[in-house]
Amino acid sequence: MLILRKNFWKFFIMMIPAFILLIVFTYTPIIRGGVMAFQRYNMFDLSDTGFIGFGNFKAIITDRNFDFVRIVINTLVWVFFSLIFQFGLGFGLALLMRKPFKGRGIYSALVFYPWAVSGFAIGLIWAWMFNGQFGIINDILVRVGIISHPIGFLSDPKFAMMSVIIANVWYGIPYFAIMLLAALQSVPNELYEASRIDGANRFKQLFKITIPYIRPTIVSTVLLRTMWIMNFPEIIYGMTGGGPANSTQILATHMINRIYQFYDYGQGAAIGFIIMSMLLLYAIVFLNISSRKEVTV
């Protein structure tokens, strides 16, 4: 008992630096931002930073220049379609890379390359590719006869959101490919051999062996990636800046605009509070649904 107590205190002392870093760089900013969301905190006038209740939230929702409902819908569209295609294509690439083949190293490097580039730089690259006058995408589509004249992908509200989602999908595929490939390599080959003896085809193996076996990895990667996508405005800033006509404006870009364009830290913190609340609710619901399904399997 004495040895266990000594080990506990030794472990606790070793963890103190980590606790201090968490408190200083994680929990303190969260608490400060939560408090600021209920304060009048505009950098143009710091003489009065008193509490105003839900005034910041009301100002955000009723702002005529920014349709808050549309921004929320844009955020959900941005997250949903980015996540679906990132996961689907990443999972497919992970399945292809699971078994050794000639040129696998080069193929893997090409797949994982986007993950090594910053989001804003990727936004700039894709902005050039989608350019309405000299972009390579318009050039290819015109040459193959799909369109007769160039399209302003980033200047037309009908195409802008689709364009930024395509760029985000390209950026996020490596994350799922890396994580799911690692999980796939842990699936015992004996399970596949036994299923083949029982007459199972690859489709049945996928849904009866592969997916159930790597289910914990799928749940954790989808949960984390959803949170990252919702808090990932870099590509949108690099491509459209939230335009045209706020057609690609999401909560994360709206929050940054409130802080760096209008210098209203109170309203920016309020938007951050809304984002955090949405993600917390999503995490609770998602994990509850996932745990129920896992129990029934």
Side-chain angles (χ1 to χ4, degrees):
M1 191 68 180
L2 184 61
I3 295 175
L4 290 175
R5 190 172 298 175
K6 287 182 178 179
N7 289 334
F8 169 78
W9 285 110
K10 187 183 295 183
F11 174 78
F12 179 77
I13 292 171
M14 292 173 64
M15 291 298 294
I16 287 176
F19 289 143
I20 293 174
L21 290 174
L22 280 174
I23 292 171
V24 173
F25 295 105
T26 301
Y27 297 115
T28 299
I30 289 175
I31 295 171
R32 184 68 187 94
V35 172
M36 194 180 292
F38 298 93
Q39 288 181 299
R40 183 185 293 106
Y41 210 98
N42 194 302
M43 295 300 291
F44 289 118
D45 183 15
L46 293 175
S47 60
D48 181 14
T49 58
F51 285 90
I52 56 174
F54 291 93
N56 288 323
F57 297 90
K58 182 179 178 180
I60 293 166
I61 295 172
T62 58
D63 191 341
R64 294 182 179 179
N65 296 321
F66 296 93
D67 187 347
F68 184 75
V69 175
R70 184 182 184 184
I71 292 173
V72 172
I73 293 174
N74 286 345
T75 303
L76 297 177
V77 170
W78 160 257
V79 173
F80 179 78
F81 286 102
S82 295
L83 182 68
I84 290 296
F85 286 104
Q86 284 181 10
F87 175 78
L89 295 173
F91 190 27
L93 288 173
L95 290 172
L96 290 174
M97 293 187 294
R98 183 172 179 266
K99 294 183 178 180
F101 58 88
K102 189 175 181 179
R104 180 184 176 185
I106 298 175
Y107 180 75
S108 300
L110 292 174
V111 170
F112 299 152
Y113 167 74
W115 199 246
V117 184
S118 70
F120 187 75
I122 287 175
L124 294 177
I125 293 170
W126 280 89
W128 281 95
M129 293 175 65
F130 276 116
N131 188 278
Q133 296 180 340
F134 46 79
I136 187 173
I137 293 177
N138 266 311
D139 184 59
I140 293 173
L141 293 177
V142 170
R143 287 177 182 274
V144 299
I146 296 178
I147 58 176
S148 58
H149 58 277
I151 297 174
F153 287 103
L154 302 182
S155 59
D156 191 335
K158 294 185 296 183
F159 300 104
M161 180 57 79
M162 176 196 70
S163 302
V164 296
I165 288 175
I166 290 174
N168 193 33
V169 168
W170 182 79
Y171 174 74
I173 287 174
Y175 170 76
F176 283 109
I178 295 168
M179 300 300 292
L180 296 178
L181 177 60
L184 287 171
Q185 290 176 338
S186 67
V187 182
N189 289 324
E190 292 79 6
L191 295 177
Y192 294 108
E193 294 173 359
S195 66
R196 281 194 292 269
I197 294 174
D198 293 335
N201 54 29
R202 292 189 176 183
F203 184 80
K204 287 185 177 180
Q205 288 177 344
L206 177 65
F207 286 95
K208 296 296 183 179
I209 299 175
T210 305
I211 293 178
Y213 200 92
I214 66 171
R215 181 185 180 81
T217 302
I218 292 175
V219 170
S220 60
T221 52
V222 169
L223 177 63
L224 290 174
R225 191 64 190 141
T226 302
M227 295 180 176
W228 291 341
I229 293 173
M230 193 165 182
N231 290 290
F232 187 64
E234 289 96 328
I235 285 179
I236 293 179
Y237 257 106
M239 294 181 69
T240 65
N246 292 322
S247 60
T248 59
Q249 193 82 257
I250 63 174
L251 286 171
T253 58
H254 191 35
M255 177 182 67
I256 295 174
N257 287 336
R258 285 292 171 179
I259 294 174
Y260 292 105
Q261 290 186 12
F262 300 98
Y263 297 97
D264 197 322
Y265 282 64
Q267 292 186 15
I271 298 173
F273 188 89
I274 292 171
I275 294 173
M276 191 167 61
S277 300
M278 291 174 64
L279 289 175
L280 180 61
L281 178 62
Y282 163 77
I284 292 171
V285 174
F286 181 78
L287 291 175
N288 281 334
I289 294 174
S290 302
S291 61
R292 288 176 189 174
K293 289 184 177 181
E294 193 167 358
V295 170
T296 57
V297 171

